[in-house]
Structures are given as structure tokens and as C-alpha cells.
Amino acid sequence: MRSGGRMAEVVSFAVLSESDKTLLVWELSSGPTAEALHHSLFTVFSQLDLLYSLRVFPNAAVARPGFYGIIKFYSARDAHRAQMACHEKHLFQKSPVQVRLGTKHKADQHQALALNSSQCQELANYYFGFNGWSKRIIKVNFIDFLWLIRLISTLKSWTSERRELGVGRRCERLLSGRT
């Protein structure tokens, strides 16, 4: 699907499981703490697009000292753009970082888990341009049920009068629940 010359992407309000939305960032310096690296990674990557999650881990004992990060985006396109923009760049340290898209394939999930309410709100604010939500009811519209019953009755009589002309058959099917 194309929109304005660019590919459109559907962003689900569900817990992410696709690897094409995940970046692996490694060769992070061993000097700063994991919390400081988390802050630095968040500062850089959140400027590129909305993040789903960001985690920093120490390297395994068999590797040289340092850290690596796993960053998840809501959008595969955003993850790819971030990878292209940051791979082998000196983002916040003297040495360049390595950034790759995830390649681990998970088994298909039959039922996607919904995001929690704060993540839904953050995602909607970001993509729809809202700046906050209200939980109070602003206006309730009540339907005048007597008016609705009169309307249905009128439509039924109208269709029965025109049945022999073939005009009201579609309306009659809609009223009876048949399509």
C-alpha cells in the first residue's frame, strides 16, 4: 500500500514479537554504568522515532568487558531507519557502535497480547498527534427509542407498499437482517 509515494505500515497496539522491529546495539563502552548507557541510548534513539522498549545488559563473561543494548521500535520502518542512521557511528562514545536489525524468528503467536494502557496512550499520542487524554465523559447522546421504532415501522410499511415494484427489497432484507 502506498501513501504519498512511501510505503504505509500498519502499527499494531499489541506487544511486539517481530524481530524486524528490534535493534541490537553492541560495542558499548565499559566505562559508564548500565544506567548511564541506557540514558545515552534513549537520548539518541528516541530522537529518531518512538521506542517500545530499551534494555542494556553487560557482555557475557567470555567477551571483553562492556555492554550491549536491545532496542525495540513500534515500527519496522523506524527500526530500519535507526539502524541505517546509527550503525558504525560515534553516537555518545569515542568508539563507533555496531547496530543491527534483529534476526531471531519467534514462533507465530496465535493471539497477540494487547499493550498496557500507558503504552497505548503513548503510541496514540505519537502517531495521532494528541497531547493528553481525558477519562471523563464529555457528552452522552441518548437515542429517542420511540422515534427509532416509528422510523422502523415507517420503513417496513414503505417497503411493503413498494414490494410489487421491486423498489424496497434491499431495504426489506436489511431490516430483516438478511444481506
Side-chain angles (χ1 to χ4, degrees):
M1 184 157 74
R2 292 211 175 257
S3 173
R6 296 186 309 190
M7 291 295 291
E9 181 177 6
V10 175
V11 177
S12 301
F13 281 62
V15 174
L16 299 182
S17 61
E18 303 92 339
S19 63
D20 62 346
K21 297 177 182 179
T22 303
L23 295 180
L24 175 63
V25 183
W26 74 97
E27 293 195 16
L28 297 174
S29 174
S30 61
T33 64
E35 293 79 21
L37 287 170
H38 185 279
H39 177 74
S40 297
L41 287 169
F42 182 82
T43 301
V44 170
F45 284 92
S46 66
Q47 289 177 3
L48 299 171
D49 228 300
L50 185 64
L51 304 180
Y52 171 76
S53 69
L54 187 153
R55 297 178 68 189
V56 175
F57 302 96
N59 285 343
V62 294
R64 67 179 194 209
F67 294 90
Y68 69 95
I70 296 176
I71 302 171
K72 293 184 180 184
F73 287 85
Y74 285 100
S75 160
R77 181 179 58 214
D78 297 339
H80 178 73
R81 283 197 314 236
Q83 190 266 333
M84 298 299 288
C86 297
H87 181 61
E88 295 186 343
K89 300 287 190 310
H90 301 266
L91 300 177
F92 49 82
Q93 60 185 33
K94 293 179 182 177
S95 60
V97 297
Q98 302 295 312
V99 182
R100 293 282 187 222
L101 282 170
T103 57
K104 181 179 178 184
H105 297 286
K106 290 188 177 183
D108 290 336
Q109 288 184 330
H110 296 291
Q111 184 177 3
L113 300 172
L115 293 175
N116 66 41
S117 62
S118 64
Q119 287 176 311
C120 285
Q121 185 174 346
E122 179 183 39
L123 188 59
N125 285 343
Y126 184 81
Y127 282 106
F128 299 141
F130 298 140
N131 192 11
W133 295 80
S134 173
K135 291 182 181 173
R136 73 186 167 93
I137 298 171
I138 296 171
K139 182 179 179 183
V140 176
N141 289 330
F142 292 99
I143 297 174
D144 183 351
F145 287 105
L146 291 176
W147 176 84
L148 185 59
I149 290 169
R150 278 181 281 189
L151 174 65
I152 291 171
S153 173
T154 303
L155 286 173
K156 282 185 177 182
S157 65
W158 182 79
T159 55
S160 64
E161 291 172 6
R162 284 153 182 82
R163 185 174 298 143
E164 59 275 357
L165 298 174
V167 175
R169 288 200 179 118
R170 175 72 176 143
C171 187
E172 185 180 14
R173 283 195 307 261
L174 289 173
L175 288 173
S176 68
R178 297 174 294 171
T179 56

